Amino acid sequence: MKNTFKWLMLLILVVHFATQAHAKVDEQHEVRAVIHNYINGTSKGEPELIKSAFHEHASLLLSHPNKALWQVSAEDYASWFESPKGQRAGKILSVTLDGDIAMARGLITTASPLKQYIDQFLLKRFPKGWQIVSKTATQLASQQDNKQLKSAMNKRVLFITSSADHHGKSSLPTGVSFSELVEAYEVFINAGYQVDVVSTQGGKLPLAYINTSNEKHKKFIYNQDFMYLLANTLAPEQVDASQYLAVHYVGGGNAMYQVAENKALQAIAMAVYEKNNGIVSSVCHGTAGIVNLKLSNGEYLVAGRKVSGYPTAFEKVSAAYYQQFPFDIENTIKQRGGKFSYGERNQSYVQIDGRIITGTNYQSSKAVALAMVKMMNDM
């Protein structure tokens, strides 16, 4: 009887904490939706959408050359965007929840003139939902030149990743390669590009191969904006493919699962490639994600194209993890008509065939990203 009671109490606690965790995720989505209303309203010139994001008594504390503190009402601020005079884009950097209040940070880029700002928002949950009660901003002293800022405005890269945290149906853990994430991300950000991350299920990414003795890994583990990006990945249905000039399939053992067969991700990648004249790229096991991509004429994307990825020769084919793989990357690419090649073990190797850019291993991540930046800068 005592044991039954003990297990019952444990079950109640598990359900309680799971419910709380789920509620917090929902709250995150609601807060992000409010900030997106602000960003979209100011970008598209929709004053009513801007006002919907703010409480009626909200105040904005802005910079003014002749005032130490310039306080503006939300209604007055929204009226400035009735006739937008230039391009404006934004993204959420972070959201922190504390009960019925929240803090959020956003990066705003404007054109004519080209400037970047960090916006900080204070939000509160009211009976009708979350609203912004205060906003302030500061201009960044950017070291980017105009060309790079224009890239941030007009060119975005979408990382495609898997949410799988185990190999197939086994108990063997797996995740997204942290090295492949940071090496590519650093290249794009330094070149002035915006990076978004989509995963098969959205939300938190399972990560693998993190080395805290590696200086670059340590740098990004403690980078608040980067880790927020990985903790709040987009779900496929949240992605607007028209916004991207490139998709980049990131590897790690889990790239073998959930990605290749995902119809929504396939549609996103091919829209970027065919409608936007964009790039499809992959690294290491990330190449598994492109094996089923088809052109609008029904042909496989890789047919007749030079492609690289993690080769069979580098796999431990007798190992338990490999037995879980739904297919072999190299053999499948060849079956689809692709010309598969790879470099030396632990050496960077990149194949560029038109707007398809692929790499053998995680050591190729930086070179693949650099090749993508060069191509996008020429678009």
Side-chain angles (χ1 to χ4, degrees):
M1 186 71 178
K2 288 182 179 179
N3 285 339
T4 302
F5 179 75
K6 186 187 296 183
W7 282 111
L8 179 60
M9 291 304 296
L10 180 60
L11 178 61
I12 291 171
L13 285 172
V14 168
V15 171
H16 171 72
F17 286 120
T19 302
Q20 282 191 323
H22 182 71
K24 195 163 186 179
V25 170
D26 289 342
E27 298 270 21
Q28 276 267 356
H29 289 161
E30 291 172 13
V31 170
R32 288 170 62 86
V34 171
I35 303 300
H36 277 303
N37 283 344
Y38 163 79
I39 290 173
N40 291 335
T42 55
S43 299
K44 298 175 182 178
E46 298 182 11
E48 291 304 315
L49 189 58
I50 299 170
K51 285 194 286 186
S52 73
F54 288 89
H55 188 270
E56 59 180 336
H57 298 304
S59 63
L60 292 85
L61 307 177
L62 308 177
S63 300
H64 192 284
N66 301 319
K67 297 179 182 179
L69 187 63
W70 186 24
Q71 189 168 338
V72 178
S73 70
E75 186 169 358
D76 286 344
Y77 181 79
S79 70
W80 300 349
F81 295 90
E82 290 178 355
S83 301
K85 298 178 180 179
Q87 283 185 294
R88 182 181 172 100
K91 70 171 183 175
I92 298 171
L93 296 176
S94 64
V95 173
T96 303
L97 288 170
D98 289 295
D100 63 350
I101 60 172
M103 293 286 295
R105 295 172 64 245
L107 175 66
I108 307 297
T109 304
T110 66
S112 301
L114 286 164
K115 294 180 181 178
Q116 283 191 313
Y117 301 87
I118 292 292
D119 279 9
Q120 294 203 359
F121 307 88
L122 176 63
L123 300 94
K124 185 172 177 59
R125 185 177 63 233
F126 296 96
K128 64 178 182 179
W130 287 92
Q131 287 185 301
I132 302 168
V133 294
S134 183
K135 184 192 92 76
T136 189
T138 185
Q139 184 176 345
L140 292 179
S142 177
Q143 296 178 349
Q144 296 173 319
D145 60 22
N146 282 358
K147 184 176 181 181
Q148 288 177 318
L149 274 176
K150 286 177 181 176
S151 293
M153 287 289 295
N154 304 316
K155 297 181 181 178
R156 298 164 71 181
V157 178
L158 181 68
F159 283 12
I160 296 180
T161 62
S162 172
S163 301
D165 52 13
H166 287 84
H167 283 281
K169 297 180 180 180
S170 76
S171 59
L172 298 170
T174 187
V176 184
S177 169
F178 197 66
S179 286
E180 293 178 36
L181 287 166
V182 300
E183 291 291 348
Y185 179 84
E186 185 176 58
V187 168
F188 293 125
I189 293 301
N190 286 346
Y193 287 76
Q194 179 174 326
V195 174
D196 294 326
V197 182
V198 62
S199 62
T200 49
Q201 297 175 24
K204 296 179 176 65
L205 276 189
L207 301 173
Y209 314 117
I210 298 176
N211 179 2
T212 54
S213 297
N214 179 296
E215 285 302 315
K216 188 168 290 187
H217 284 208
K218 190 184 297 183
K219 168 187 171 183
F220 281 101
I221 286 170
Y222 294 104
N223 182 312
Q224 178 183 358
D225 297 339
F226 177 69
M227 295 308 292
Y228 179 84
L229 195 66
L230 303 187
N232 296 274
T233 65
L234 300 170
E237 61 269 19
Q238 295 176 299
V239 174
D240 178 359
S242 69
Q243 299 299 305
Y244 300 97
L245 274 184
V247 293
H248 181 60
Y249 287 79
V250 184
N254 74 341
M256 295 299 303
Y257 313 100
Q258 301 182 8
V259 182
E261 66 272 26
N262 190 298
K263 298 296 184 183
L265 291 178
Q266 291 174 17
I268 291 167
M270 296 318 298
V272 170
Y273 187 78
E274 293 191 305
K275 295 180 181 179
N276 305 354
N277 292 317
I279 297 167
V280 170
S281 66
S282 65
V283 168
C284 199
H285 287 91
T287 298
I290 73 173
V291 299
N292 293 330
L293 296 182
K294 287 186 177 181
L295 301 168
S296 54
N297 62 10
E299 294 181 1
Y300 284 107
L301 174 70
V302 300
R305 312 303 287 270
K306 297 175 183 177
V307 178
S308 189
Y310 206 68
T312 310
F314 291 178
E315 299 282 11
K316 298 177 181 178
V317 295
S318 62
Y321 81 86
Y322 186 80
Q323 305 307 311
Q324 294 292 321
F325 280 5
F327 57 87
D328 178 279
I329 296 173
E330 180 177 352
N331 290 335
T332 306
I333 291 292
K334 290 177 178 178
Q335 289 169 10
R336 304 288 196 250
K339 303 173 183 178
F340 191 90
S341 63
Y342 57 96
E344 298 294 325
R345 194 182 287 270
N346 299 321
Q347 298 294 318
S348 175
Y349 180 86
V350 178
Q351 276 287 5
I352 303 174
D353 192 335
R355 290 180 284 112
I356 302 173
I357 304 176
T358 52
T360 296
N361 46 24
Y362 79 86
Q363 291 92 346
S364 310
S365 297
K366 182 175 181 179
V368 166
L370 287 170
M372 293 170 66
V373 167
K374 184 177 185 300
M375 189 174 290
M376 287 191 293
N377 283 345
D378 293 335
M379 287 179 175

